[in-house]
Amino acid sequence: PEDLINYLSSSDTNYKRIVRLLKKWNNKAFANKPNYAKAPSVALTIEAKEWFDSNTFTNDLDALIAIVNRLKNLIYCNSTRIYKKNPYSDDNLYYKMDSDEKYVKSFLLEIDKFYNTLVEAKKIKNNSLYECCNRLRKIFPNFPEPEKEESKESFSRSAKYA
């Protein structure tokens, strides 16, 4: 649908980077599982777009944590169902995943691991950027390793790691 394409298009490089990170996580986390266990790419993009439309952030890590928390909250309302209305129709964006509670539970386990790793990385980023990046490489294997002398610096909003 053209309305949805127009809604999701953005020139914001931070938004695009976060969407790429979400999709990388989704592909890696569900690589060996049925497609129905994997979150639809368009649903992840819509979550990111809705968050970016109503929030500001200080860095990509904070934005990613907030969006992943939004995804968790879609499930926590009812732990065996996941629902997100398509902004341009009455369809559930997660209708395939929602067809079987085992897929929702699998997604919940993976999103919890993702969230916990991100929060852990945030806690240690001010002490050691090097260790923070090591944590993030558990999720994103190609995540860059900072120089040793950079290890005391914190992430900047313009950090390019996607």
Side-chain angles (χ1 to χ4, degrees):
E2 192 154 329
D3 288 341
L4 184 60
I5 292 169
N6 290 336
Y7 171 71
L8 295 176
S9 62
S10 173
S11 60
D12 185 337
T13 56
N14 296 327
Y15 159 73
K16 290 177 180 179
R17 188 169 43 250
I18 295 299
V19 169
R20 279 195 312 269
L21 289 170
L22 287 169
K23 290 178 181 183
K24 283 180 185 182
W25 163 78
N26 197 37
N27 289 334
K28 182 178 182 268
F30 298 96
N32 298 321
K33 296 181 180 156
N35 277 344
Y36 286 1
K38 182 178 174 181
S41 180
V42 68
L44 297 175
T45 305
I46 288 171
E47 284 302 320
K49 178 67 172 164
E50 288 178 356
W51 189 86
F52 270 88
D53 283 351
S54 61
N55 292 280
T56 58
F57 65 99
T58 56
N59 60 60
D60 289 349
L61 185 57
D62 288 339
L64 195 55
I65 289 170
I67 293 166
V68 170
N69 192 46
R70 271 179 74 111
L71 290 167
K72 283 177 53 165
N73 290 334
L74 288 174
I75 301 170
Y76 282 142
C77 296
N78 181 348
S79 63
T80 61
R81 299 292 314 270
I82 185 168
Y83 180 79
K84 176 69 178 189
K85 183 180 174 290
N86 183 329
Y88 291 94
S89 72
D90 289 331
D91 299 333
N92 179 4
L93 290 168
Y94 297 93
Y95 72 94
K96 289 181 182 178
M97 184 190 295
D98 194 47
S99 67
D100 191 329
E101 72 179 54
K102 72 181 176 189
Y103 299 138
V104 176
K105 288 180 179 180
S106 173
F107 182 75
L108 179 59
L109 289 172
E110 292 299 328
I111 201 84
D112 274 338
K113 286 193 273 185
F114 186 27
Y115 180 80
N116 291 336
T117 301
L118 293 172
V119 169
E120 182 182 309
K122 181 180 176 173
K123 285 180 185 176
I124 63 172
K125 80 174 183 179
N126 291 331
N127 295 329
S128 173
L129 184 58
Y130 180 80
E131 285 301 315
C132 177
C133 290
N134 281 337
R135 296 292 193 291
L136 293 172
R137 270 195 294 283
K138 291 178 182 178
I139 306 167
F140 311 112
N142 296 331
F143 199 88
E145 184 174 325
E147 299 288 326
K148 288 286 186 179
E149 61 269 11
E150 290 181 289
S151 63
K152 292 291 181 189
E153 295 177 18
S154 62
F155 283 106
S156 70
R157 184 173 180 176
S158 62
K160 304 266 191 268
Y161 55 82

